[in-house]
């Protein structure tokens, strides 16, 4: 049983406040430092220079300022999470995507970050059986991820894919890609909640993928039957179940069982709360952190 876990947040938890300008990234870091959070994952939502979190459009001085501010505040920059599409059949487009992710690897290095998640597809899912399409694009995904991982290894950085986006959200597809890439510094960012989006049991899928985890995202959802009449604000799982983000520990997922699996495993390192509920970001994050500490026995 491990107790070597460090609790913190993904910057996505603060997206409403960052995107509206209500808080700056520095203020988010200071808020985390003033509470019990230990680290912050930077989730890139845009490549524009004015993105609410660092992008490759930032100049070196701005990147250095964020690195130094987080260090002085005692908040570790734990991971960098970026988008990418490695499945394109256009070789030029695929090359551009790989080069963009490599530029983010360089950004991570300058920020002092040694862990990075990059997407492998932007495809959010198709109706019916998408297995033929997955088999069709698998080798392109693997080749691109392997090239990025090898580049990242020269920078001392571990890369990963996350179980999200429907197309690569199931536990077995994530494992297939990790095994096929077959690089020691390529793993998975394991989101404990996202498995319900493809109607998998989080308790079973988390346990299956923990041996490959680089970072764990702690998340909760409200889950309601497909035929429920709930109005706006919910989205559908692949099988039609209604889902809505919840404060960690307040939703319908069996986070107690999931956290027992985490503590009983060999996983050690960063656990990032990713809050996407309706509540105010700071309320959701503070209560979620308290619940996470209790559930993990920290």
């Amino acid at each position: 049983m491990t107790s070597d876990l460090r609790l913190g947040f993904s910057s996505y938890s603060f997206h409403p406040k960052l995107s509206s300008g209500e808080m700056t990234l520095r203020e988010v870091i200071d808020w985390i430092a003033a509470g019990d959070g230990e680290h912050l994952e930077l989730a890139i939502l845009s490549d524009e220079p004015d993105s609410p979190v660092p992008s490759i459009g930032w100049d070196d001085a701005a990147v250095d300022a964020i690195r130094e501010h987080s260090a002085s505040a005692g908040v570790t920059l734990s991971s960098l999470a970026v988008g990418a599409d490695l499945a394109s059949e256009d070789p030029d487009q695929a090359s551009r995507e790989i080069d963009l992710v490599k530029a983010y690897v360089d950004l991570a290095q300058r920020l002092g970050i040694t862990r990075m998640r990059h997407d492998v597809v932007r495809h959010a899912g198709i109706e019916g059986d998408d297995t033929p399409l997955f088999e069709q694009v698998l080798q392109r995904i693997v080749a691109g991820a392997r090239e990025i991982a090898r580049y990242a290894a020269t920078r001392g950085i571990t890369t990963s894919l996350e179980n999200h986006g429907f197309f690569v959200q199931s536990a077995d597809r994530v494992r297939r890609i990790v095994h096929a890439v077959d690089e020691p510094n390529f793993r998975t960012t394991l989101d404990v909640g996202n498995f319900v989006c493809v109607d998998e049991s989080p308790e079973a899928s988390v346990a299956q993928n923990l041996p490959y985890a680089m970072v764990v995202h702690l998340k909760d959802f409200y889950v309601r039957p497909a035929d429920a009449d709930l109005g706006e604000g919910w989205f559908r799982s692949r099988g039609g179940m209604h889902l809505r983000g919840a404060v960690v520990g307040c939703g319908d997922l069996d986070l107690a069982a999931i956290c027992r699996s985490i503590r009983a495993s060999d996983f050690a390192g960063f656990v990032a709360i990713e809050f996407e509920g309706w509540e105010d970001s700071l309320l959701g994050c503070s209560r979620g952190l308290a619940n996470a500490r209790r559930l993990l026995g920290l």
Side-chain angles (χ1 to χ4, degrees):
M1 179 181 295
T2 181
S3 60
D4 190 14
L5 302 176
R6 300 184 62 188
L7 270 175
F9 300 93
S10 167
S11 66
Y12 186 70
S13 301
F14 304 90
H15 177 56
K17 294 191 180 291
L18 288 166
S19 61
S20 68
E22 186 178 346
M23 292 180 76
T24 66
L25 184 57
R26 284 171 176 261
E27 288 171 334
V28 167
I29 291 169
D30 291 340
W31 184 88
I32 294 171
D36 292 328
E38 300 178 71
H39 68 90
L40 177 66
E41 173 191 83
L42 297 178
I44 303 292
L45 302 178
S46 168
D47 294 328
E48 298 300 321
D50 60 352
S51 174
V53 291
S55 74
I56 57 173
W58 278 32
D59 60 33
D60 290 345
V63 173
D64 292 345
I66 289 298
R67 185 192 66 240
E68 292 162 6
H69 185 77
S70 63
S72 65
V75 175
T76 301
L77 296 179
S78 53
S79 182
L80 184 69
V82 304
D85 182 3
L86 308 182
S88 175
E89 37 187 3
D90 179 349
D92 292 336
Q93 177 61 30
S95 180
R96 285 192 292 270
E97 290 286 326
I98 290 170
D99 287 344
L100 177 61
V101 178
K102 287 179 178 178
Y104 277 124
V105 169
D106 294 339
L107 173 64
Q109 183 185 37
R110 190 167 190 106
L111 284 163
I113 293 172
T114 59
R115 296 165 182 80
M116 180 173 159
R117 183 221 83 190
H118 64 79
D119 290 341
V120 294
V121 292
R122 290 198 177 94
H123 180 53
I126 59 174
E127 295 296 326
D129 184 5
D130 64 359
T131 304
L133 179 58
F134 179 75
E135 298 298 336
Q136 176 184 334
V137 303
L138 177 59
Q139 290 310 310
R140 293 199 291 271
I141 290 171
V142 168
R146 182 182 293 129
E147 181 177 341
I148 293 164
R150 289 176 175 174
Y151 179 80
T154 68
R155 304 293 195 266
I157 292 173
T158 297
T159 56
S160 67
L161 81 159
E162 184 176 347
N163 54 308
H164 72 167
F166 289 92
F167 193 62
V168 291
Q169 203 151 349
S170 63
D172 64 324
R173 288 189 180 180
V174 169
R175 292 196 307 274
R176 282 190 67 188
I177 294 170
V178 170
H179 283 296
V181 171
D182 194 26
E183 293 293 332
N185 67 317
F186 183 73
R187 300 178 68 78
T188 181
T189 290
L190 175 56
D191 189 301
V192 307
N194 280 348
F195 292 114
V196 295
C197 300
V198 286
D199 306 289
E200 291 188 347
S201 160
E203 304 95 281
S205 293
V206 167
Q208 291 166 6
N209 282 21
L210 267 170
Y212 312 98
M214 175 195 76
V215 168
V216 169
H217 280 177
L218 207 57
K219 180 184 291 181
D220 210 345
F221 282 116
Y222 297 112
V223 183
R224 298 293 182 271
D227 60 356
D229 184 7
L230 301 173
E232 297 182 359
W234 298 72
F235 69 97
R236 297 272 190 165
S237 74
R238 186 173 179 101
M241 298 293 285
H242 292 275
L243 303 172
R244 177 160 69 85
V247 174
V248 165
C250 295
D252 295 321
L253 304 191
D254 190 352
L255 283 184
I258 291 168
C259 287
R260 284 195 298 270
S261 292
I262 294 170
R263 294 186 69 236
S265 74
D266 292 331
F267 177 79
F270 297 109
V271 177
I273 290 172
E274 191 174 51
F275 169 68
E276 50 188 47
W278 285 1
E279 295 86 351
D280 176 79
S281 300
L282 301 188
L283 175 67
C285 286
S286 61
R287 291 187 177 174
L289 183 63
N291 288 340
R293 286 201 179 281
R294 175 176 50 81
L295 290 164
L296 288 165
L298 298 177

